[in-house]
Amino acid sequence: MTYEIEIGRGKRGRRAYSLDDIAIVPNRRTRDPKDVSVSWQIDAYQFDMPVIAAPMDSAMSPATAIALGRLGGLGVLDLEGLWTRYEDPQAVLDQIAALDDETNSPAVTRKMQELYQAPIQPDLITSRLAEIRAAGVTVAGSLTPQRTQEHYKTVVAAGVDIFVIRGTTVSAEHVSKDHEPLNLKQFIYELDVPVIVGGAAGYTPALHLMRTGAAGVLVGFGGGATSTTRRALGIHSPMASAISDVTAARRDYMDESGGRYVHVIADGGMGASGDIVKAIAMGADAVMLGTALARADEAPGRGWHWGQEAHHLESPRGDRVNVGTVGPLEEVLFGPGHHTNGTSNLIGALRRSMATTGYSDLKEFQRVDVVVSPYAGN
Protein backbone atom coordinates (compact mmCIF):
# COMPACT_ATOMS: atom_id res chain seq x y z
CA MET A 1 0.00 0.00 0.00
CA THR A 2 1.30 3.47 -0.87
CA TYR A 3 0.14 6.79 0.51
CA GLU A 4 1.91 8.88 -2.12
CA ILE A 5 -0.04 11.19 -4.37
CA GLU A 6 1.03 12.80 -7.61
CA ILE A 7 1.94 16.45 -7.09
CA GLY A 8 2.86 16.87 -10.75
CA ARG A 9 4.27 14.68 -13.48
CA GLY A 10 7.75 14.83 -12.02
CA LYS A 11 7.10 14.55 -8.28
CA ARG A 12 5.11 12.43 -5.89
CA GLY A 13 4.67 12.99 -2.19
CA ARG A 14 3.08 11.35 0.82
CA ARG A 15 -0.05 12.93 2.27
CA ALA A 16 0.62 14.06 5.83
CA TYR A 17 -1.78 15.25 8.50
CA SER A 18 -1.60 17.96 11.12
CA LEU A 19 -3.23 17.69 14.53
CA ASP A 20 -6.04 19.90 13.20
CA ASP A 21 -6.76 17.25 10.55
CA ILE A 22 -7.67 14.50 12.99
CA ALA A 23 -10.30 13.92 15.66
CA ILE A 24 -10.74 11.41 18.46
CA VAL A 25 -13.81 9.19 18.41
CA PRO A 26 -15.33 7.75 21.62
CA ASN A 27 -16.26 4.14 20.98
CA ARG A 28 -16.29 2.29 24.30
CA ARG A 29 -17.08 2.75 27.98
CA THR A 30 -16.71 6.09 29.75
CA ARG A 31 -15.02 6.80 33.10
CA ASP A 32 -15.02 9.36 35.85
CA PRO A 33 -12.18 11.86 35.14
CA LYS A 34 -11.03 11.43 38.75
CA ASP A 35 -10.21 7.78 38.02
CA VAL A 36 -7.84 8.65 35.16
CA SER A 37 -4.05 8.71 35.61
CA VAL A 38 -1.96 11.14 33.56
CA SER A 39 1.36 10.30 35.22
CA TRP A 40 4.38 9.18 33.22
CA GLN A 41 7.98 8.16 33.82
CA ILE A 42 11.22 8.59 31.90
CA ASP A 43 14.20 6.63 33.16
CA ALA A 44 14.07 6.84 36.98
CA TYR A 45 12.09 10.09 37.04
CA GLN A 46 8.34 10.07 37.61
CA PHE A 47 5.99 12.96 36.87
CA ASP A 48 2.35 13.61 37.71
CA MET A 49 1.57 14.94 34.24
CA PRO A 50 3.05 14.47 30.75
CA VAL A 51 4.19 18.09 30.39
CA ILE A 52 7.74 19.21 29.66
CA ALA A 53 8.39 22.92 29.34
CA ALA A 54 10.14 23.97 26.15
CA PRO A 55 13.52 25.57 26.88
CA MET A 56 12.47 29.06 25.80
CA ASP A 57 13.30 32.25 27.71
CA SER A 58 9.76 33.58 27.31
CA ALA A 59 8.32 30.56 29.17
CA MET A 60 11.04 29.22 31.47
CA SER A 61 13.16 30.87 34.13
CA PRO A 62 14.66 29.04 37.12
CA ALA A 63 11.60 30.17 39.12
CA THR A 64 9.04 28.90 36.61
CA ALA A 65 10.98 25.65 36.16
CA ILE A 66 10.72 25.16 39.92
CA ALA A 67 7.02 26.04 39.92
CA LEU A 68 6.31 23.57 37.12
CA GLY A 69 8.31 20.87 38.89
CA ARG A 70 6.31 21.36 42.07
CA LEU A 71 3.10 21.01 40.07
CA GLY A 72 4.26 17.66 38.69
CA GLY A 73 5.83 18.56 35.34
CA LEU A 74 9.38 19.02 34.09
CA GLY A 75 10.83 22.46 33.49
CA VAL A 76 13.76 22.66 31.06
CA LEU A 77 16.00 25.72 31.20
CA ASP A 78 17.60 27.05 28.02
CA LEU A 79 21.29 27.02 28.93
CA GLU A 80 22.08 29.28 25.97
CA GLY A 81 19.44 31.83 26.93
CA LEU A 82 19.33 35.06 28.87
CA TRP A 83 19.60 33.32 32.24
CA THR A 84 23.13 32.12 31.44
CA ARG A 85 24.23 35.31 29.67
CA TYR A 86 23.17 37.91 32.27
CA GLU A 87 23.51 37.90 36.05
CA ASP A 88 20.15 39.66 36.25
CA PRO A 89 18.25 39.28 32.95
CA GLN A 90 15.15 41.14 34.13
CA ALA A 91 16.21 44.39 32.47
CA VAL A 92 16.75 42.53 29.20
CA LEU A 93 13.35 40.86 29.46
CA ASP A 94 11.81 44.28 30.06
CA GLN A 95 13.51 45.58 26.90
CA ILE A 96 12.15 42.68 24.84
CA ALA A 97 8.62 43.22 26.19
CA ALA A 98 8.84 46.93 25.33
CA LEU A 99 9.87 46.43 21.70
CA ASP A 100 7.61 47.42 18.82
CA ASP A 101 4.36 45.43 18.64
CA GLU A 102 4.72 44.71 14.92
CA THR A 103 5.14 41.03 14.04
CA ASN A 104 7.94 40.21 11.61
CA SER A 105 9.74 43.46 12.38
CA PRO A 106 13.40 43.69 11.25
CA ALA A 107 14.04 46.20 14.03
CA VAL A 108 12.78 43.76 16.66
CA THR A 109 14.85 40.93 15.19
CA ARG A 110 17.96 43.12 15.11
CA LYS A 111 17.50 44.10 18.76
CA MET A 112 16.93 40.48 19.80
CA GLN A 113 20.12 39.44 18.00
CA GLU A 114 22.00 42.22 19.79
CA LEU A 115 20.71 41.24 23.24
CA TYR A 116 21.65 37.59 22.71
CA GLN A 117 25.21 38.52 21.69
CA ALA A 118 26.29 38.55 25.36
CA PRO A 119 28.53 35.52 26.00
CA ILE A 120 27.31 32.43 27.83
CA GLN A 121 28.89 32.32 31.30
CA PRO A 122 29.64 28.81 32.61
CA ASP A 123 29.34 29.96 36.22
CA LEU A 124 25.78 31.09 35.51
CA ILE A 125 24.95 27.66 34.07
CA THR A 126 26.13 26.19 37.36
CA SER A 127 24.28 28.65 39.59
CA ARG A 128 20.97 28.47 37.68
CA LEU A 129 20.89 24.67 37.79
CA ALA A 130 21.91 24.75 41.46
CA GLU A 131 18.96 27.05 42.18
CA ILE A 132 16.56 24.55 40.63
CA ARG A 133 18.19 21.62 42.42
CA ALA A 134 17.94 23.40 45.78
CA ALA A 135 14.16 23.52 45.35
CA GLY A 136 14.02 19.71 45.31
CA VAL A 137 12.60 19.25 41.81
CA THR A 138 14.01 17.34 38.83
CA VAL A 139 16.72 19.41 37.13
CA ALA A 140 16.78 19.62 33.33
CA GLY A 141 18.74 21.86 30.99
CA SER A 142 18.98 22.18 27.23
CA LEU A 143 21.74 22.92 24.73
CA THR A 144 21.75 22.94 20.95
CA PRO A 145 23.99 20.36 19.23
CA GLN A 146 26.36 23.19 18.24
CA ARG A 147 26.97 24.17 21.89
CA THR A 148 26.84 20.75 23.51
CA GLN A 149 30.55 19.93 23.19
CA GLU A 150 31.48 23.31 24.62
CA HIS A 151 29.28 23.30 27.73
CA TYR A 152 28.10 19.78 28.56
CA LYS A 153 30.83 19.14 31.16
CA THR A 154 29.69 22.23 33.06
CA VAL A 155 26.08 21.07 32.83
CA VAL A 156 26.81 17.55 34.08
CA ALA A 157 29.08 18.81 36.86
CA ALA A 158 26.28 21.10 38.02
CA GLY A 159 24.15 18.04 38.73
CA VAL A 160 21.60 17.99 35.92
CA ASP A 161 19.17 15.05 36.13
CA ILE A 162 17.97 15.05 32.52
CA PHE A 163 19.92 16.55 29.61
CA VAL A 164 18.11 17.84 26.51
CA ILE A 165 19.78 18.34 23.13
CA ARG A 166 17.28 20.36 21.09
CA GLY A 167 17.56 21.93 17.68
CA THR A 168 15.39 22.63 14.68
CA THR A 169 16.51 19.33 13.18
CA VAL A 170 18.88 16.96 14.97
CA SER A 171 20.28 13.91 13.22
CA ALA A 172 22.50 11.06 14.30
CA GLU A 173 24.55 11.50 11.12
CA HIS A 174 25.49 15.18 10.87
CA VAL A 175 28.19 15.80 8.25
CA SER A 176 30.55 18.79 8.23
CA LYS A 177 33.72 19.62 6.30
CA ASP A 178 34.69 22.36 8.74
CA HIS A 179 34.60 20.70 12.15
CA GLU A 180 34.18 17.38 13.88
CA PRO A 181 30.45 16.96 14.54
CA LEU A 182 28.97 15.78 17.82
CA ASN A 183 29.01 11.98 17.93
CA LEU A 184 25.65 11.48 19.60
CA LYS A 185 26.03 7.76 20.21
CA GLN A 186 29.40 8.11 21.91
CA PHE A 187 28.30 11.22 23.78
CA ILE A 188 25.14 9.64 25.19
CA TYR A 189 26.99 6.44 26.06
CA GLU A 190 29.56 8.38 28.10
CA LEU A 191 27.01 10.49 29.96
CA ASP A 192 25.60 9.27 33.24
CA VAL A 193 22.19 10.94 32.81
CA PRO A 194 19.24 10.28 30.48
CA VAL A 195 19.28 12.35 27.29
CA ILE A 196 16.29 13.64 25.34
CA VAL A 197 17.19 14.61 21.78
CA GLY A 198 15.43 16.13 18.77
CA GLY A 199 13.73 17.36 16.72
CA ALA A 200 13.00 14.56 14.35
CA ALA A 201 10.02 14.41 12.05
CA GLY A 202 10.17 11.04 10.33
CA TYR A 203 10.60 7.32 10.81
CA THR A 204 14.23 6.97 9.67
CA PRO A 205 15.81 9.94 11.51
CA ALA A 206 13.92 9.00 14.68
CA LEU A 207 15.08 5.39 14.45
CA HIS A 208 18.69 6.56 14.10
CA LEU A 209 18.32 8.82 17.14
CA MET A 210 16.91 5.92 19.16
CA ARG A 211 19.95 3.85 18.24
CA THR A 212 22.20 6.47 19.86
CA GLY A 213 20.82 5.48 23.25
CA ALA A 214 18.56 8.49 23.76
CA ALA A 215 15.94 8.10 26.49
CA GLY A 216 13.49 10.26 24.56
CA VAL A 217 13.06 11.70 21.08
CA LEU A 218 11.47 15.08 20.42
CA VAL A 219 9.06 15.01 17.48
CA GLY A 220 8.68 18.15 15.39
CA PHE A 221 10.74 21.25 14.94
CA GLY A 222 9.61 23.10 18.06
CA GLY A 223 8.85 26.78 17.93
CA GLY A 224 5.14 26.42 17.23
CA ALA A 225 3.55 29.87 17.22
CA THR A 226 6.93 31.64 17.07
CA SER A 227 8.58 29.65 14.29
CA THR A 228 8.78 30.85 10.70
CA THR A 229 10.81 27.84 9.55
CA ARG A 230 8.09 26.90 7.07
CA ARG A 231 8.29 30.31 5.39
CA ALA A 232 12.05 30.77 5.67
CA LEU A 233 13.33 27.28 4.86
CA GLY A 234 10.37 25.54 3.29
CA ILE A 235 10.55 22.86 6.00
CA HIS A 236 7.42 21.78 7.83
CA SER A 237 6.28 18.70 9.67
CA PRO A 238 2.53 18.05 10.04
CA MET A 239 2.49 16.79 13.59
CA ALA A 240 -0.10 14.00 13.52
CA SER A 241 1.78 12.13 10.81
CA ALA A 242 5.16 12.90 12.36
CA ILE A 243 4.16 11.51 15.76
CA SER A 244 2.70 8.40 14.15
CA ASP A 245 5.86 7.83 12.10
CA VAL A 246 8.14 8.20 15.13
CA THR A 247 5.86 5.94 17.17
CA ALA A 248 6.29 3.30 14.47
CA ALA A 249 10.06 3.74 14.70
CA ARG A 250 9.82 3.24 18.48
CA ARG A 251 7.86 0.00 17.97
CA ASP A 252 10.42 -1.36 15.50
CA TYR A 253 13.33 -0.26 17.67
CA MET A 254 11.83 -2.15 20.61
CA ASP A 255 11.93 -5.33 18.51
CA GLU A 256 15.44 -4.57 17.27
CA SER A 257 16.85 -3.77 20.73
CA GLY A 258 15.15 -6.55 22.64
CA GLY A 259 12.60 -4.37 24.41
CA ARG A 260 14.26 -1.00 25.04
CA TYR A 261 11.54 1.67 25.20
CA VAL A 262 12.30 5.19 23.95
CA HIS A 263 9.85 7.92 24.91
CA VAL A 264 8.22 9.92 22.14
CA ILE A 265 7.73 13.58 23.06
CA ALA A 266 5.68 15.84 20.79
CA ASP A 267 7.35 19.24 20.47
CA GLY A 268 5.75 22.27 18.84
CA GLY A 269 2.38 23.51 17.68
CA MET A 270 0.37 22.49 20.76
CA GLY A 271 -1.02 25.74 22.07
CA ALA A 272 -4.40 24.37 23.18
CA SER A 273 -5.54 21.41 25.25
CA GLY A 274 -7.08 19.61 22.27
CA ASP A 275 -3.68 19.54 20.55
CA ILE A 276 -2.16 17.87 23.61
CA VAL A 277 -4.93 15.29 23.68
CA LYS A 278 -4.48 14.44 20.00
CA ALA A 279 -0.67 14.29 20.25
CA ILE A 280 -0.93 11.61 22.93
CA ALA A 281 -3.64 9.81 20.97
CA MET A 282 -1.21 9.59 18.04
CA GLY A 283 1.36 7.86 20.26
CA ALA A 284 3.28 10.53 22.17
CA ASP A 285 4.20 9.75 25.79
CA ALA A 286 4.48 13.42 26.73
CA VAL A 287 4.36 16.88 25.19
CA MET A 288 6.85 19.76 25.22
CA LEU A 289 4.95 23.04 25.60
CA GLY A 290 6.08 26.57 24.89
CA THR A 291 3.17 28.82 23.91
CA ALA A 292 0.75 27.21 26.38
CA LEU A 293 3.09 27.94 29.31
CA ALA A 294 4.16 31.36 28.02
CA ARG A 295 0.57 32.44 28.66
CA ALA A 296 0.96 31.95 32.43
CA ASP A 297 1.14 35.05 34.61
CA GLU A 298 4.51 33.91 35.96
CA ALA A 299 6.11 33.46 32.51
CA PRO A 300 9.22 35.66 32.04
CA GLY A 301 7.99 36.94 28.66
CA ARG A 302 4.97 38.70 30.21
CA GLY A 303 2.69 37.56 27.41
CA TRP A 304 5.36 37.75 24.70
CA HIS A 305 6.78 34.54 23.31
CA TRP A 306 9.89 33.77 21.26
CA GLY A 307 12.31 30.94 20.60
CA GLN A 308 15.98 30.59 19.77
CA GLU A 309 15.20 30.90 16.06
CA ALA A 310 14.09 34.51 16.61
CA HIS A 311 17.61 35.71 17.40
CA HIS A 312 19.71 33.47 15.15
CA LEU A 313 22.57 35.68 13.94
CA GLU A 314 22.62 34.62 10.29
CA SER A 315 19.24 33.06 9.53
CA PRO A 316 16.52 34.24 11.91
CA ARG A 317 13.36 32.24 11.30
CA GLY A 318 11.15 33.03 14.23
CA ASP A 319 9.05 35.91 15.49
CA ARG A 320 8.44 37.41 18.89
CA VAL A 321 4.66 37.04 19.16
CA ASN A 322 2.11 38.29 21.66
CA VAL A 323 0.28 35.25 23.07
CA GLY A 324 -1.22 37.15 26.01
CA THR A 325 -1.82 35.80 29.51
CA VAL A 326 -4.65 33.63 30.78
CA GLY A 327 -3.89 33.25 34.49
CA PRO A 328 -1.51 31.68 37.01
CA LEU A 329 0.49 28.62 35.95
CA GLU A 330 -1.58 26.35 38.16
CA GLU A 331 -4.77 27.58 36.50
CA VAL A 332 -3.29 27.10 33.04
CA LEU A 333 -2.54 23.48 33.90
CA PHE A 334 -5.26 22.44 36.34
CA GLY A 335 -7.96 25.09 36.22
CA PRO A 336 -10.53 26.03 37.07
CA GLY A 337 -10.70 27.11 33.45
CA HIS A 338 -12.29 30.40 32.40
CA HIS A 339 -11.49 30.15 28.70
CA THR A 340 -13.43 28.20 26.12
CA ASN A 341 -10.56 27.94 23.63
CA GLY A 342 -8.46 25.30 25.40
CA THR A 343 -5.83 27.66 26.85
CA SER A 344 -6.54 26.91 30.52
CA ASN A 345 -7.03 23.69 32.52
CA LEU A 346 -4.90 21.75 30.03
CA ILE A 347 -4.56 18.67 32.21
CA GLY A 348 -8.22 18.74 33.18
CA ALA A 349 -9.11 18.63 29.49
CA LEU A 350 -6.75 15.69 28.93
CA ARG A 351 -8.33 13.82 31.83
CA ARG A 352 -11.82 14.50 30.50
CA SER A 353 -10.95 13.30 27.00
CA MET A 354 -9.43 10.11 28.37
CA ALA A 355 -12.45 9.55 30.59
CA THR A 356 -14.90 10.22 27.76
CA THR A 357 -13.21 7.57 25.63
CA GLY A 358 -12.90 5.11 28.51
CA TYR A 359 -9.14 4.93 28.99
CA SER A 360 -7.52 4.93 32.42
CA ASP A 361 -3.89 5.84 31.66
CA LEU A 362 -1.75 7.40 28.95
CA LYS A 363 -0.45 4.15 27.45
CA GLU A 364 -3.99 2.88 27.03
CA PHE A 365 -5.11 6.17 25.52
CA GLN A 366 -2.53 5.83 22.74
CA ARG A 367 -4.81 3.10 21.36
CA VAL A 368 -7.86 5.36 21.00
CA ASP A 369 -9.54 5.51 17.59
CA VAL A 370 -8.96 8.60 15.48
CA VAL A 371 -10.44 9.75 12.19
CA VAL A 372 -9.36 12.23 9.55
CA SER A 373 -11.70 15.09 10.31
CA PRO A 374 -13.49 17.19 7.67
CA TYR A 375 -13.57 20.06 10.18
CA ALA A 376 -9.88 20.93 10.04
CA GLY A 377 -8.98 23.91 12.19
CA ASN A 378 -12.16 23.83 14.30
Side-chain angles (χ1 to χ4, degrees), residues 27-65:
N27 66 351
R28 53 175 298 186
R29 71 178 71 90
T30 57
R31 295 181 184 273
D32 188 318
K34 295 178 181 177
D35 297 333
V36 169
S37 170
V38 293
S39 64
W40 80 295
Q41 178 174 338
I42 182 167
D43 204 83
Y45 301 96
Q46 296 186 358
F47 302 95
D48 294 335
M49 58 179 168
V51 171
I52 304 175
M56 303 169 86
D57 283 339
S58 51
M60 277 294 106
S61 65
T64 51

Side-chain angles (χ1 to χ4, degrees), residues 109-358:
T109 299
R110 191 175 298 112
K111 185 61 177 178
M112 297 275 284
Q113 291 169 323
E114 176 188 318
L115 293 171
Y116 278 88
Q117 276 290 294
I120 297 170
Q121 302 180 45
D123 61 324
L124 287 180
I125 293 178
T126 301
S127 63
R128 302 306 187 197
L129 294 176
E131 180 181 347
I132 299 172
R133 176 167 293 282
V137 300
T138 303
V139 183
S142 175
L143 292 170
T144 59
Q146 296 84 355
R147 297 275 194 173
T148 295
Q149 292 279 35
E150 182 181 356
H151 296 295
Y152 83 90
K153 290 183 179 178
T154 301
V155 176
V156 174
V160 72
D161 296 315
I162 297 175
F163 187 61
V164 178
I165 302 175
R166 184 177 186 258
T168 301
T169 303
V170 178
S171 76
E173 299 180 10
H174 182 67
V175 178
S176 173
K177 293 181 179 179
D178 298 327
H179 62 274
E180 186 67 26
L182 175 67
N183 185 325
L184 270 176
K185 187 169 186 177
Q186 180 180 345
F187 175 80
I188 291 173
Y189 177 78
E190 292 176 355
L191 278 188
D192 206 20
V193 299
V195 177
I196 297 172
V197 61
Y203 175 93
T204 299
L207 184 60
H208 288 179
L209 288 177
M210 291 172 188
R211 288 170 176 164
T212 66
V217 171
L218 299 172
V219 183
F221 300 134
T226 70
S227 177
T228 62
T229 298
R230 182 175 186 171
R231 297 200 303 268
L233 302 184
I235 295 174
H236 175 58
S237 171
M239 282 294 285
S241 294
I243 296 167
S244 179
D245 287 346
V246 176
T247 299
R250 190 247 314 277
R251 177 199 62 211
D252 293 346
Y253 177 69
M254 284 184 68
D255 291 340
E256 173 188 305
S257 63
R260 183 173 181 270
Y261 188 91
V262 179
H263 295 269
V264 173
I265 301 161
D267 179 15
M270 290 169 292
S273 55
D275 301 321
I276 298 169
V277 171
K278 289 187 277 189
I280 293 173
M282 293 306 299
D285 298 291
V287 294
M288 179 169 272
L289 302 180
T291 301
L293 301 181
R295 296 191 185 106
D297 291 343
E298 302 93 323
R302 292 171 20 196
W304 289 97
H305 187 40
W306 64 91
Q308 288 183 327
E309 302 88 354
H311 53 79
H312 193 283
L313 278 178
E314 292 145 7
S315 181
R317 51 193 184 278
D319 291 323
R320 183 202 61 144
V321 297
N322 191 342
V323 298
T325 56
V326 300
L329 180 61
E330 187 169 4
E331 184 177 305
V332 169
L333 291 167
F334 299 112
H338 305 293
H339 303 78
T340 59
N341 58 359
T343 57
S344 61
N345 197 13
L346 304 179
I347 301 304
L350 174 60
R351 284 182 176 276
R352 186 163 295 277
S353 292
M354 293 171 63
T356 300
T357 52

